[in-house]
Structure formats: structure tokens, C-alpha cells
Amino acid sequence: MDPELEAFIPLIPDADLTDPVAERGKLAALAASVPPPDTSEMEIEDLAVPADPDVPVRIYRPRHAEGAVLWMHGGGWVMGSVDTEHPWAARLADASGAVVISVGYRLAPENPFPAALDDVYAVLKWTAEHAAELGVDPDRIAVGGHSAGGGLAAGVALRSRDEQGPPIRFQLLNQPGLDDRQRTWSQRNFTDTPWMNRDKVAIAWRHYLGSAPATPYAAPARADDLSGLPPAYIASAELCPNRDENIEYASRLLQAGVSVELHQWSGTFHGSQAIVSAEVSQRQIAELGAALRRALAG
């Protein structure tokens, strides 16, 4: 493990996803402890996107931005909000120069699948319809997210393809949760990795799916056909249960004719880029921004 990251392991709270409500408070406290991002060069606005129910979003507008990304926070589908995601959404806007629309989707287990995906899809359609007033080129809209949010981004890309929804320029998938079956080597063997491990992943999927069977929109790795999807940047972490499904999904996209950039970050664990003082975390955040900037360029 990267020594800068390893030094922080004793300070990482032990997330117990069997009690999501309690964990939401811990995540909020953790997000509040992160060094605040510099937002002096961007406008930030909170809005409610009309839907059933309305979806809260926080919009970050850097100067001279042309493209946009719908950004979905992590948290195992059970934690997180536009407030807890603020340190990362603002950093992504700064690093990419893109408008970042941070989506406050509904959380499980109170709102199991497809609630979160419906929220994201509603925001995607709203963004495309209101691109002019948002100052966004409708042909330069990307989707992205971390962990559970990355799975939502991949799921909404599949749904928009299938339903002839708004065109998506790019997928920015950071350690995405893609497969509820947990059959890969990393899912079976990473039982005590920091922050996220096999059992916690299993609990998160149970909360998210509820009593419904998994579909490709919930677990994109289940999709038989990945052709016609947007180009993707996929980042995996070496000590992350999602690692192997991330690499396999990238390979399957490539085989389906989709352009993919894959980065396997050695020495890292799931969500370790939250330790922003580590050099490897700074490189991870910078590369997410650079990949998005390149994808949304003219």
C-alpha cells in the first residue's frame, strides 16, 4: 500500500452499513473534516430539478465552461448528498473546467432501485433541455461518479442508449460498483480492505436492490450488449473489491467497440483519494479532471 495512505488507516471510521442512518451522520462529519476546496473561480448554485419527487442538485460553474458532467456521489447507494460531495465536486469542476452538476439522488434502503437511477435520468433530461440557460453545449454532456455513483453513471448511460434519451458524450467512472454477483477474485478475497470490503459491498447491494432482482440498469455488468455506449474513463483501486469488475467492464466495453481509458491505481484502496494530502490522491483527482477536460474539448 502507498505509505502516505497507510498512515491514515487508523483514522478511517469503520462504516457499518447495516445502520445506514447512523452512517450518514458519520459521512457528513468526515466530509466536513476534509480541507475545503478553492471555489473562488466558480459560481455555485443549488436547485431542485422538477421530477417526481424533485431532485436536488448543486451546480458548479467554472469560468468559460462549455461542457458539463452529471456527477453522482458515492456512499453505497445509502449515504451521501450534495453537501458531503462538495469537496469532490468542486475539485472536479476546478480540475476539469467543466460545469459539474452534483446530483442528490434518493437513497436506499428507504428508496431502493430504481429510485436513484430515475432521479439521475430526470436530471440528465433536464440538463439537455435546459443546456442553453445553463451555458452548456448540449453535445458535451458527460456522466460520472464515484463508487455507487459510478454504477449509477454507467446505468444511466445504458438507459439513455436504450430509450434514445439525451446523447451522452462520455462516462467518467471512478471505482464504480457494477456487479451485485460478487464473483470476481477481488470481490471474493478482499474481506478486510480499508473503508470497503466484501461484506460491506454485499450489504450495500442488498439495501439498493431491496426485493427486486438485479437488472443491467442496476448492475451494468449484467448487460449483455455494451455496444453504442459513450467512451469511458475507468479508474480502479488495487485494494478495492470493485477492482476486477472495473477492469472486466473496461475490457468488455473495448470488445464492444467503445473507446476506453483504464487506469489501475497501484497502492490505493476504495475511496482513498479522500486523503487529499497524499501525492497519489492528488494525481488521481487531477487525472479525473484532465480526462473529463479532454473528453469535453471541442
Side-chain angles (χ1 to χ4, degrees):
M1 186 182 294
D2 181 281
E4 286 188 284
L5 299 179
E6 192 168 13
F8 275 86
I9 288 178
L11 306 177
I12 297 173
D14 184 28
D16 179 6
L17 297 186
T18 59
D19 186 355
V21 175
E23 290 309 313
R24 289 168 192 164
K26 292 181 184 178
L27 180 62
L30 184 65
S33 72
V34 173
D38 180 7
T39 58
S40 59
E41 296 297 314
M42 64 185 76
E43 297 176 6
I44 302 175
E45 180 182 15
D46 286 307
L47 291 174
V49 171
D52 184 21
D54 292 353
V55 185
V57 297
R58 181 168 295 170
I59 303 176
Y60 301 78
R61 293 190 186 88
R63 295 176 184 173
H64 312 301
E66 293 181 335
V69 61
L70 268 66
W71 181 254
M72 279 63 78
H73 62 78
W77 300 283
V78 302
M79 301 181 290
S81 66
V82 295
D83 291 326
T84 63
E85 194 61 15
H86 175 71
W88 321 117
R91 282 177 168 85
L92 181 61
D94 180 59
S96 66
V99 174
V100 173
I101 302 173
S102 181
V103 182
Y105 56 84
R106 284 173 287 172
L107 300 176
E110 299 92 334
N111 299 283
F113 178 83
L117 188 75
D118 287 345
D119 290 350
V120 175
Y121 195 58
V123 175
L124 174 64
K125 292 193 291 184
W126 175 84
T127 302
E129 291 164 3
H130 296 81
E133 58 199 81
L134 291 169
V136 169
D137 181 342
D139 293 324
R140 299 188 201 180
I141 298 173
V143 296
H146 168 68
S147 189
L152 283 167
V156 84
L158 284 164
R159 179 171 170 182
S160 194
R161 178 200 66 179
D162 294 345
E163 297 184 8
Q164 288 78 54
I168 295 173
R169 178 78 166 254
F170 187 64
Q171 304 177 75
L172 187 68
L173 310 180
N174 191 55
Q175 303 164 19
L178 300 169
D179 197 342
D180 64 296
R181 295 166 292 190
Q182 293 188 277
R183 293 176 180 170
T184 65
W185 187 93
S186 60
Q187 284 287 6
R188 288 183 287 106
N189 287 277
F190 286 159
T191 58
D192 60 352
T193 39
W195 187 249
M196 189 56 69
N197 58 41
R198 180 186 66 195
D199 291 344
K200 290 177 186 175
V201 171
I203 293 169
W205 277 111
R206 285 200 296 271
H207 285 319
Y208 182 47
L209 295 173
S211 59
T215 71
Y217 295 160
R222 287 180 172 268
D224 293 326
D225 179 12
L226 300 182
S227 63
L229 289 170
Y233 171 91
I234 299 178
S236 62
E238 182 177 356
L239 303 172
C240 170
N242 295 348
R243 182 194 69 193
D244 293 349
E245 69 201 58
N246 295 168
I247 294 169
E248 288 177 12
Y249 197 70
S251 179
R252 289 187 57 214
L253 283 169
L254 285 167
Q255 291 162 12
V258 177
S259 181
V260 177
E261 184 172 351
L262 171 66
H263 195 133
Q264 199 326 95
W265 290 92
S266 63
T268 65
F269 56 86
H270 189 87
S272 62
Q273 72 273 7
I275 303 169
V276 293
S277 60
E279 189 266 345
V280 67
S281 299
Q282 293 166 20
R283 286 194 290 124
Q284 286 176 286
I285 294 166
E287 186 165 304
L288 285 170
L292 185 59
R293 184 185 293 272
R294 289 193 300 271
L296 296 178

